[in-house]
Amino acid sequence: MQLHNRILLGLAAGATTGVVANLLAGESHVLAETVRLGTEPLGKMWLSLLIMMVIPLILSTLALGVVGLGDVRRLGKIGLVTLGCFLGLTAISAAIGLALVGAIEPGRGLDPAIKTSLLALYKGQAQEAMGLSGGGFGIDLLVKIIPRNPVAAAASSDMLAVIVFALVLGGALSALPKEKAEPLLRVLDSLGEVTLKVIEFAMKLAPAGVFCLIFSVTARFGFTLLLSLLWYVLTVLAGLALVLVVVYPIVLRLLARRSPLEFFRGARLVMLTAFSTSSSNATLPTTLAASRDRLGIPAPIGGFVLPLGATINMNGTALFEGGTVLFIAQVFGLELSLSAQAIVVAMSVVTAIGTAGIPGGSIPLLMMVLKMVGVPMEGIAIVLGVDRILDMCRTVLNVTGDLVTSTVVARAVRPASPGPGAGPGADPAASPGAGPGADSASPPGAGP
Ligand code: ASP
C-alpha cells in the first residue's frame, strides 16, 4: 500500500476511535490517562523525530540550493519572485479571513454565558501564550535576523537566523573556486543525505504517529465547544477552502501555467502530512520530495523556495489571524475601523512570517496583533479550545502555498533551467534538495 494511503488509514482510524472514545467516555479518567501517558507522548515523539532533522535539512538544502542556482543574478530574480509570491499570497489570505469574518459576523451572536465560561476555562493557557508573546516588534528583531552565533541560533530554533546563515554560506560557497568549495559541498551533500535517510525511517512510522496524534486530539476534544463556536470555525474553514480551491488554482493557471488538478494530485501526501502533524517544519522533508518527484520542480529551486517557505510563508496562518482578531473584537462588542483592519492585515502578514512552523506556533504572535489594535489579549481564551482543528487545516494551506510558489518560481526562471534537477552546477545540490523519497513509491535520490 502506498504511504499516503497508509497515512490516510492511520488518520481515519485515529479520528474514528478518538471521536467514539470521546462520545462514550469523554469524562473518564482512564481515557484521559491513556491519552496523557500513551498516545500523546508517542505522537509527540514521532513529531520530534521529524522536527529534529529540520535544522540540518534547512542548512544543507538551502546552502546547496543557492550553489545549485549558480549565478548570483539569477538568485536575485528567484529571490524576488519567491518573496513577491509569499507576500502576495499571505496578504490576500489575511484579507480574505478578515473580509469573511466581517461579512458573516460569527462573533456577534456568541452567547455571553459561553464567552464567560470559555474565558475562565482557558485563562491559564491564554496567560501562558501571553508570556511567550514577548516584547512585540522592535528593530531588535530585524537586527537578530543576522545571527552572531549560528550555533546558538540553531540551538534556540531561531529559523530565520539559521536561514540567513545558510544563504550566506551558500552564496560564499558559490563564489569560491571549485576545488576550495568541493570538500564542504560534499560534507553538506552527505549531511543532507543522512538527514533524508532519518526522515525516510521516520515516515515509515507515519501511519502510527498520525494515529496517535489524531486520536489524542479527538479523544480530548470538546465537541460541545465546537458546536458553540461553530460559526467561527466554519467561517475560518470557508476562508481556507476559498484560498485552496480558488486562489491557488488561479495562481497555478495564470502564473505557473500548470493544471491545478495535476498539482493537487502531486501535493496529496504533503497536504495529508501537514494536516496530521500541524507543522510546516515537520512536513518540510515530504514537501521537498513531492516538489521534485511529483511536481518536477528543479531540485535547486525547491531547495531554495521550500525551506524558506516552511519558515516565512504562512497563508493559512495569516487568514486565521486576520479572521480571529476580528472575531474576538466582535465577541467583545468592539468596532474595528477600516484603518485598524488594514493594520490587522499588515500585522497578520508580518506575524505569519515570524510564526514558527510548529503546532500552535501562531498563538503567541496572534496575541501581539490583538494588543496592537486594542482588542483584549485574554480574548484568545475563547478560541484556544478549537485551535488544534483550525491549526491542522491552516497548516495544509501553509505548505501548499509553498509548493504553489515553487511552481511559479520554476516557471519564471524556466528558460535558464532546461529540466528538473538540471540547474547549472546543480550536482551537489541535486540529491539533498531532492527529498527523502518520503513516499514509498519514490526511493531516495531517484530523479523525476
Ligand atoms: N502550525 C502552523 C504551521 O506549522 C503554524 C500556526 O499557524 O500555528 O504552519
Side-chain angles (χ1 to χ4, degrees):
M1 199 191 281
Q2 287 207 331
L3 184 61
H4 63 255
N5 287 333
R6 278 187 283 135
I7 293 183
L8 209 55
L9 212 66
L11 187 75
T16 323
T17 44
V19 171
V20 171
N22 181 287
L23 291 178
L24 295 181
E27 305 293 309
S28 103
H29 184 65
V30 179
L31 180 62
E33 290 297 286
T34 311
V35 172
R36 190 176 73 84
L37 301 172
T39 53
E40 192 171 61
L42 284 173
K44 278 189 179 162
M45 281 160 82
W46 175 67
L47 210 55
S48 301
L49 204 57
L50 288 173
I51 294 182
M52 81 173 174
M53 301 318 288
V54 164
I55 293 209
L57 186 68
I58 287 187
L59 193 66
S60 58
T61 38
L62 209 52
L64 291 174
V66 171
V67 176
L69 294 173
D71 196 341
V72 184
R73 274 163 305 177
R74 234 178 128 223
L75 184 66
K77 181 175 180 188
I78 291 176
L80 275 182
V81 178
T82 305
L83 287 183
C85 247
F86 283 171
L87 288 178
L89 287 173
T90 309
I92 290 173
S93 305
I96 288 180
L98 205 73
L100 275 184
V101 172
I104 298 176
E105 301 200 315
R108 298 268 177 242
L110 192 78
D111 185 345
I114 292 177
K115 170 187 153 187
T116 317
S117 69
L118 286 177
L119 280 174
L121 198 60
Y122 288 96
K123 195 169 164 209
Q125 278 185 40
Q127 268 162 356
E128 213 174 282
M130 226 181 283
L132 288 173
S133 68
F137 287 96
I139 190 76
D140 291 357
L141 222 60
L142 196 68
V143 172
K144 264 179 43 200
I145 229 177
I146 300 180
R148 285 194 172 185
N149 179 347
V151 179
S156 55
S157 294
D158 184 352
M159 293 301 178
L160 279 179
V162 174
I163 282 181
V164 169
F165 178 71
L167 288 175
V168 171
L169 193 69
L173 273 172
S174 54
L176 280 181
K178 196 168 184 293
E179 68 285 0
K180 296 266 185 206
E182 193 63 26
L184 185 54
L185 285 178
R186 291 172 69 94
V187 170
L188 284 173
D189 183 34
S190 176
L191 178 69
E193 289 291 345
V194 162
T195 312
L196 297 174
K197 203 63 188 166
V198 173
I199 289 160
E200 194 193 326
F201 291 145
M203 285 306 283
K204 287 203 169 48
L205 299 173
V210 165
F211 174 90
C212 289
L213 287 176
I214 303 295
F215 178 87
S216 311
V217 173
T218 45
R220 259 204 198 143
F221 196 75
F223 286 97
T224 13
L225 188 63
L226 184 65
L227 231 53
S228 57
L229 291 173
L230 194 64
W231 279 114
Y232 159 70
V233 172
L234 286 181
T235 310
V236 174
L237 292 184
L240 296 174
L242 195 69
V243 175
L244 197 69
V245 301
V246 178
V247 177
Y248 288 162
I250 292 177
V251 173
L252 285 165
R253 273 255 179 260
L254 292 185
L255 299 182
R257 309 234 173 259
R258 294 190 66 131
S259 144
L261 263 186
E262 240 170 63
F263 171 86
F264 284 117
R265 210 169 293 138
R268 221 168 19 186
L269 178 65
V270 176
M271 295 166 77
L272 205 57
T273 311
F275 183 79
S276 328
T277 58
S278 297
S279 167
S280 298
N281 280 349
T283 313
L284 179 62
T286 317
T287 323
L288 282 164
S291 80
R292 191 211 53 180
D293 294 343
R294 308 201 166 254
L295 299 171
I297 311 284
I301 291 187
F304 176 77
V305 176
L306 297 172
L308 262 181
T311 308
I312 66 176
N313 181 43
M314 307 241 171
N315 310 152
T317 294
L319 189 148
F320 157 76
E321 287 189 351
T324 302
V325 171
L326 191 56
F327 170 73
I328 296 175
Q330 288 169 357
V331 172
F332 282 91
L334 300 168
E335 289 291 337
L336 286 190
S337 66
L338 223 55
S339 58
Q341 295 194 23
I343 293 178
V344 172
V345 171
M347 289 315 296
S348 298
V349 174
V350 175
T351 47
I353 291 173
T355 293
I358 53 172
S362 53
I363 299 298
L365 289 120
L366 175 56
M367 305 197 63
M368 282 189 211
V369 188
L370 289 171
K371 189 172 164 197
M372 205 161 283
V373 289
V375 176
M377 276 163 93
E378 64 274 17
I380 194 83
I382 297 172
V383 300
L384 279 181
V386 289
D387 184 57
R388 188 53 189 256
I389 297 280
L390 296 177
D391 197 5
M392 290 158 69
C393 301
R394 65 181 181 253
T395 308
V396 171
L397 236 67
N398 290 348
V399 296
T400 312
D402 301 339
L403 275 179
V404 170
T405 301
S406 68
T407 61
V408 173
V409 174
R411 168 82 193 180
V413 296
R414 191 179 41 126
S417 56
D427 255 0
S431 26
D439 193 326
S440 51
S442 50

